[in-house]
Amino acid sequence: MSISSLPKFSLSPLGATLVIVACAVCFGLVPVFVRELQGLGAGPASIALYRYGFSALVLLPFLPLERHKRGGALLLVGAGAVLGLSLIGYLEAIANAPVAAAGVVYMSYPVFASLFAWVLLKQAPTLRSFAAAGLVLGAAALLLDPSLLSPEVLSSLLWAIPAPVAFGFLVVVLSGLAGQLNSLERTACGLVGALVGLTPVALQEGQGSLLPASSSQWGLIIVMGLMTALIPQVLFSFACQKVGPVRTAAAGSFELPTMFLVGFFVFGESVGAREAVSAVLVLSAILLAPSIGAQPKRSGWVGGPKEVS
């Protein structure tokens, strides 16, 4: 299926920014579904598979099969597989640690994206990169204080660190190494990669079964797939092209305060001065971190990283 066969929509920059904000809010609702599904007996690998698998199956027709696109497609599939596996630790952290702390850890991905851009795209770090890294380290120091967290919670948060590392790598692949793939093709490749990486682990976790065990799980999976994955991912892939990577990252950062509100209102977690300062530090780091230089003439991708979130 070609993206040119889809209906065309006119969207102003302001409208596109509001769409990205709405998508970021949807992404920030993931902890609600994660904890509900874990309460019904689903493991983190299975939950990640359900979320990404739903979208991957729907976007499967957009998987590029042309020979000249295979190199970029395979690279994205591999990056998606790495991200899918790394999210197991992040989902485990959501279950065991405060949602605010897990959100701060995950939203550190721009720093890792800058590091991978340095290594893979030869884009040397700037003063803004170092400043963003310092802000993220400060936020982590505030919320990951061993004197304030139990060893179990601290361990869960440390195991969540591979997720932003893998997502930073995926950002660089999406923006500079994916060849001639369009937005939906890149999204499809990343999601299929996550599906490939997560399926063996989910099979082991479910003792040979991948299907949800109850109708309650089925209902949560469908709503989670539509609300936090498929619909916002597709909308994001179009809206981000109207505003560019800088505003995309800024608008997409609304995911973090959404997670704070979810922790406070849904799970009764305290949000004090320490959490508020850490959120401001991370949001400032996202705004400071230089965007990864896309190559629109060659790849046709001008958007931000959240096409695979």
Side-chain angles (χ1 to χ4, degrees), residues 175-176 179-181 186 293-302:
S175 60
Q180 302 178 28
L181 307 184
R186 295 178 188 219
Q295 302 173 29
K297 290 183 180 179
R298 185 179 68 183
S299 65
W301 186 84
V302 208

Side-chain angles (χ1 to χ4, degrees), residues 52-108:
Y52 288 110
F54 185 91
S55 300
L57 292 176
V58 173
L59 294 178
L60 200 59
F62 295 99
L63 198 65
L65 301 177
E66 299 93 329
R67 178 173 297 180
H68 67 283
K69 294 184 177 182
R70 288 177 187 171
L74 288 175
L75 186 59
L76 265 175
V77 168
V82 172
L83 176 63
L85 291 172
S86 71
L87 284 174
I88 295 174
Y90 172 62
L91 295 183
E92 192 68 34
I94 287 177
N96 299 319
V99 171
V104 166
V105 170
Y106 187 72
M107 295 299 284
S108 65

Side-chain angles (χ1 to χ4, degrees), residues 46-306:
S46 299
I47 295 172
L49 179 71
Y50 295 151
R51 185 185 177 214
Y52 288 110
F54 185 91
S55 300
L57 292 176
V58 173
L59 294 178
L60 200 59
F62 295 99
L63 198 65
L65 301 177
E66 299 93 329
R67 178 173 297 180
H68 67 283
K69 294 184 177 182
R70 288 177 187 171
L74 288 175
L75 186 59
L76 265 175
V77 168
V82 172
L83 176 63
L85 291 172
S86 71
L87 284 174
I88 295 174
Y90 172 62
L91 295 183
E92 192 68 34
I94 287 177
N96 299 319
V99 171
V104 166
V105 170
Y106 187 72
M107 295 299 284
S108 65
Y109 71 84
V111 173
F112 297 107
S114 295
L115 292 175
F116 281 117
W118 182 18
V119 175
L120 299 176
L121 301 180
K122 308 303 180 184
Q123 295 183 2
T126 63
L127 288 177
R128 290 174 60 185
S129 301
F130 288 115
L135 290 172
V136 169
L137 289 175
L142 280 174
L143 286 187
L144 304 183
D145 187 346
S147 64
L148 300 175
L149 300 172
S150 68
E152 292 78 13
V153 170
L154 186 60
S155 177
S156 295
L157 291 173
L158 291 176
W159 276 110
I161 292 176
V165 176
F167 192 60
F169 174 66
L170 182 61
V171 168
V172 173
V173 175
L174 278 168
S175 60
L177 299 172
Q180 302 178 28
L181 307 184
N182 61 47
S183 295
L184 284 180
E185 289 172 340
R186 295 178 188 219
T187 305
C189 289
L191 290 170
V192 168
L195 196 65
V196 170
L198 285 166
T199 298
V201 184
L203 274 172
Q204 183 180 19
E205 185 178 78
Q207 298 180 344
S209 174
L210 290 176
L211 295 178
S214 65
S215 57
S216 298
Q217 286 188 0
W218 273 110
L220 283 170
I221 289 166
I222 292 173
V223 175
M224 176 178 66
L226 289 173
M227 183 178 291
T228 74
L230 179 61
I231 293 176
Q233 281 167 346
V234 172
L235 290 175
F236 205 106
S237 69
F238 286 104
C240 65
Q241 298 180 60
K242 295 288 185 179
V243 297
V246 176
R247 187 182 291 188
T248 293
S253 66
F254 269 77
E255 180 177 353
L256 183 60
T258 300
M259 294 183 71
F260 274 57
L261 292 174
V262 165
F264 181 76
F265 287 108
V266 180
F267 303 119
E269 298 175 357
S270 61
V271 178
R274 181 183 295 265
E275 289 77 14
V277 171
S278 67
V280 171
L281 290 176
V282 171
L283 294 177
S284 300
I286 292 171
L287 294 175
L288 269 177
S291 58
I292 307 303
Q295 302 173 29
K297 290 183 180 179
R298 185 179 68 183
S299 65
W301 186 84
V302 208
K306 280 295 187 75

Side-chain angles (χ1 to χ4, degrees), residues 14-28:
L14 175 60
T17 302
L18 294 176
V19 168
I20 293 170
V21 169
C23 293
V25 170
C26 291
F27 295 139

